[in-house]
Amino acid sequence: MSKVFALNAGSSSLKFSIYEIPSEEVVASGVIDRIGLGDSNITIKYNGEKHQDVKDVMDHDQATKTLLDKLESLNIIEDYDEIAGTGHRVVAGGERFKESALIDEEGLKTIEDLSEYAPLHNPAEAQVIRAFQELLPGKPAVAAFDTSFHTTMPEKAYLYGTPYEYYEKYGARRYGAHGTSHKYVSQRAAELMDKSVEEVNIITCHIGNGASITAVQGGQSIDTSMGFTPVAGVVMGTRSGDVDPSLLEFVMRKENLSMEEMLAVLNNKSGLLGISGVSSDMRDVEAAADQGNERAKIALEVYVNAVKRYIGSYLFELNGADAIVFTAGVGENSPEFRQAVLENTDRLGIELDKERNESVEEGLISTDDSKVKVFVIPTDEELMIVRDTVRLGNIK
Ligand code: ADP
């Protein structure tokens, strides 16, 4: 039996899951947070127990080494030889990576070169890949890119209405994100419909802290709501989603903000948090709205309306959909949110089954008569990454 790691490096965190192959069972998982900030929490879940430690972890290279040391000291890994390969989520793959790839030195350089498109993520992810390659020489490292699934978008969907030379010179275009999740849930929805993914149109709604909606035609992404970066599209936990660029210049002048500060507001202080003033967490905002907080109520309405706007436009772009799928933290766990999004859509052939919507964990939540099927499907990006690692790394 071999072990394969799925790694997800954020700007200041490193999440991991360890899978046993071929059973695809998760044997351990956890996270190191506050990387670079001091007092990092190292949390490892193993055998139903949670192990915690605090240590100063100053970069992702040190985080990787700390993680492997910790796994050895807990006897989760006895020998590095047990580790057959590592799979890494990478945010920006640009136009270069149209699918997951086995990463060699040249691939690693390309990931680093793409850092301009994801300055907080790609350098951290490259550092983790490099650290594993040093610690486990010769073991396959596979990168799964958030953007790959969207590289099938046609020009008419990915180009902005800006001068074409910006695209030619700088790659200024829509790249999208959450691709691994949109791919997984669209394939799973086709399975649940007993159809091949090539013969169906599906609109996938990944609604977590970050949120994006994708139009999937015959298994390929043809349009998606996130843009050059993940700040675009629908309203999210702390991100604004789409805004008129002129508004930014106006607010920057009024509030005396630099572009960098304005972007930090759009990424970290907007969305549910910015409108409600309560929290970026959907549970808190729903609870506040239930208690009559008006700004929490309007934050939910703006969020729901943004999701409706995108689903509506994709229904039109796709000339109708066979299914709509909800996934990620909010999409999987908030029946209220799903119901609000699909309220008043019966004339479009969409009919939610209230009881199924309240109780189903994975499966159909529309009525048997609904022309468009609606599904809840828990996403599993890690499993997709591990499967790509096993396939590309030729792991038995
Ligand atoms: P991330 O984008 O960080 O991976 P997740 O997909 O885990 O985020 O989604 C986090 C969001 O899911 C939070 O806003 C959280 O409030 C929401 N969420 C989780 N459980 C529930 C629930 N039972 N009801 C409503 N929202 C939930």
Side-chain angles (χ1 to χ4, degrees):
M1 253 182 304
S2 340
K3 291 189 170 73
V4 173
F5 280 47
L7 294 136
N8 183 351
S11 50
S12 64
S13 67
L14 177 62
K15 291 188 199 147
F16 75 95
S17 303
I18 306 174
Y19 284 73
E20 199 115 319
I21 299 301
S23 71
E24 294 185 338
E25 203 181 308
V26 179
V27 286
S29 65
V31 63
I32 300 182
D33 68 7
R34 296 182 52 83
I35 297 173
L37 302 170
D39 284 338
S40 300
N41 302 295
I42 305 159
T43 310
I44 298 182
K45 286 190 212 152
Y46 177 59
N47 265 348
E49 277 179 35
K50 200 164 159 182
H51 304 270
Q52 274 181 311
D53 199 359
V54 179
K55 205 180 154 185
D56 285 340
V57 178
M58 295 326 285
D59 61 21
H60 285 78
D61 180 60
Q62 197 190 345
T64 306
K65 290 174 179 146
T66 306
L67 171 63
L68 285 177
D69 282 349
K70 204 78 209 156
L71 292 170
E72 268 196 312
S73 70
L74 291 169
N75 283 327
I76 299 171
I77 299 286
E78 282 171 21
D79 191 313
Y80 286 180
D81 272 349
E82 288 168 47
I83 307 170
T86 56
H88 303 260
R89 174 204 179 206
V90 176
V91 167
E95 292 186 326
R96 164 69 182 70
F97 291 103
K98 297 194 187 310
E99 47 193 275
S100 300
L102 202 56
I103 299 300
D104 54 11
E105 189 52 35
E106 193 199 329
L108 202 49
K109 288 228 167 66
T110 312
I111 292 173
E112 284 166 346
D113 288 346
L114 289 164
S115 292
E116 259 196 321
Y117 298 102
L120 296 179
H121 287 88
N122 272 39
E125 288 146 2
Q127 218 175 36
V128 174
I129 298 175
R130 204 177 278 289
F132 269 104
Q133 286 182 337
E134 277 166 22
L135 294 164
L136 310 171
K139 295 289 174 70
V142 166
F145 300 87
D146 259 29
T147 46
S148 290
F149 185 56
H150 301 301
T151 56
T152 49
M153 275 193 287
E155 250 183 338
K156 65 182 176 189
Y158 71 66
L159 277 185
Y160 287 114
T162 47
Y164 192 71
E165 70 210 57
Y166 296 161
Y167 166 62
E168 288 181 305
K169 285 203 276 193
Y170 312 122
R173 52 162 283 180
R174 185 190 302 280
Y175 291 102
H178 295 142
T180 309
S181 175
H182 290 292
K183 185 176 177 182
Y184 174 78
V185 299
S186 55
Q187 289 179 347
R188 183 79 187 118
E191 254 172 53
L192 292 172
M193 287 189 283
D194 253 332
K195 296 247 165 93
S196 126
V197 76
E198 283 81 26
E199 56 181 326
V200 285
N201 289 343
I202 301 172
I203 297 171
T204 48
C205 308
H206 177 112
I207 317 283
N209 269 323
S212 64
I213 322 275
T214 297
V216 186
Q217 186 171 55
Q220 300 201 321
S221 165
I222 60 144
D223 209 345
T224 195
S225 61
M226 280 181 168
F228 180 67
T229 71
V231 78
V234 298
V235 170
M236 312 177 206
T238 62
R239 295 191 191 117
S240 61
D242 298 334
V243 285
D244 178 343
S246 306
L247 180 68
L248 308 185
E249 191 272 336
F250 176 80
V251 173
M252 282 162 70
R253 211 161 7 96
K254 297 277 182 197
E255 297 264 312
N256 199 18
L257 298 176
S258 67
M259 191 71 224
E260 203 180 357
E261 288 165 336
M262 186 75 247
L263 282 174
V265 171
L266 295 182
N267 273 294
N268 307 320
K269 295 190 174 162
S270 300
L272 274 185
L273 173 66
I275 303 172
S276 72
V278 172
S279 168
S280 63
D281 193 295
M282 180 58 89
R283 286 164 291 203
D284 299 340
V285 180
E286 282 181 345
D290 284 347
Q291 283 163 14
N293 182 315
E294 288 301 323
R295 268 176 55 191
K297 281 191 206 166
I298 194 68
L300 291 176
E301 284 176 18
V302 174
Y303 200 158
V304 164
N305 205 55
V307 174
K308 273 181 173 281
R309 188 181 290 138
Y310 270 96
I311 295 179
S313 87
Y314 293 160
L315 274 173
F316 206 81
E317 238 179 299
L318 289 165
N319 187 18
D322 298 276
I324 297 171
V325 180
F326 287 90
T327 191
V330 176
E332 291 166 29
N333 297 303
S334 178
E336 296 84 3
F337 185 85
R338 297 190 297 253
Q339 188 179 329
V341 168
L342 298 180
E343 196 84 60
N344 257 327
T345 50
D346 52 317
R347 286 176 52 158
L348 295 167
I350 306 170
E351 254 182 82
L352 204 63
D353 180 311
K354 291 219 163 104
E355 214 181 296
R356 287 178 184 165
N357 184 40
E358 294 286 340
S359 59
V360 169
E361 278 177 26
E362 188 197 63
L364 192 72
I365 56 167
S366 50
T367 62
D368 291 339
D369 293 335
S370 182
K371 232 175 92 200
V372 180
K373 294 187 185 335
V374 184
F375 292 98
V376 173
I377 300 179
T379 195
D380 203 338
E381 290 157 288
E382 285 80 17
L383 182 60
M384 287 291 272
I385 293 172
V386 164
R387 284 182 179 165
D388 281 351
T389 308
V390 168
R391 180 172 53 85
L392 294 165
N394 211 2
I395 293 168
K396 300 278 184 281

